[in-house]
Amino acid sequence: MLVDIVFFVLMNLKYKFHNIFMLLIAGIFFAITEGIPLDKISSVVKDGLGSIPDHLALIILFAAIIGKFMTESGANQRIADSVIKQGGTD
């Protein structure tokens, strides 16, 4: 499992693959390393991806609402200014 996480982070940071695309590739890689037969991987991935919207819909909805409130109130700019002040710019 650690190899799978390293693979995901390396492909994401070094090669700049999109996060959603990398989750799919990492899931397939993880299934192979865990010994799931190749003919079963597509159904496992399909079942896993199909259940994601059910569990994440409310989280995504609330995150969008909070993000909108932060944008309209100027909180996101204040957070960005604080991060730049603390970390500098490079």
Side-chain angles (χ1 to χ4, degrees):
M1 186 158 150
L2 182 61
V3 172
D4 301 315
I5 294 170
V6 170
F7 174 75
F8 177 76
V9 170
L10 176 71
M11 294 300 285
N12 198 352
L13 295 178
K14 184 169 179 157
Y15 298 109
K16 305 294 184 199
F17 277 92
H18 192 273
N19 292 335
I20 301 297
F21 184 63
M22 274 313 305
L23 283 174
L24 179 62
I25 292 173
I28 293 170
F29 184 73
F30 182 73
I32 292 170
T33 59
E34 289 298 311
I36 295 176
L38 293 177
D39 60 334
K40 304 277 186 201
I41 290 177
S42 64
S43 64
V44 169
V45 170
K46 182 184 74 162
D47 292 342
L49 289 176
S51 68
I52 288 174
D54 295 340
H55 299 293
L56 294 180
L58 284 177
I59 295 171
I60 293 170
L61 177 67
F62 287 131
I65 291 169
I66 291 170
K68 181 70 171 169
F69 287 152
M70 288 179 67
T71 300
E72 289 184 6
S73 70
N76 60 347
Q77 186 63 45
R78 189 162 182 198
I79 292 170
D81 291 341
S82 297
V83 169
I84 290 172
K85 182 180 174 186
Q86 294 295 320
T89 57
D90 274 342

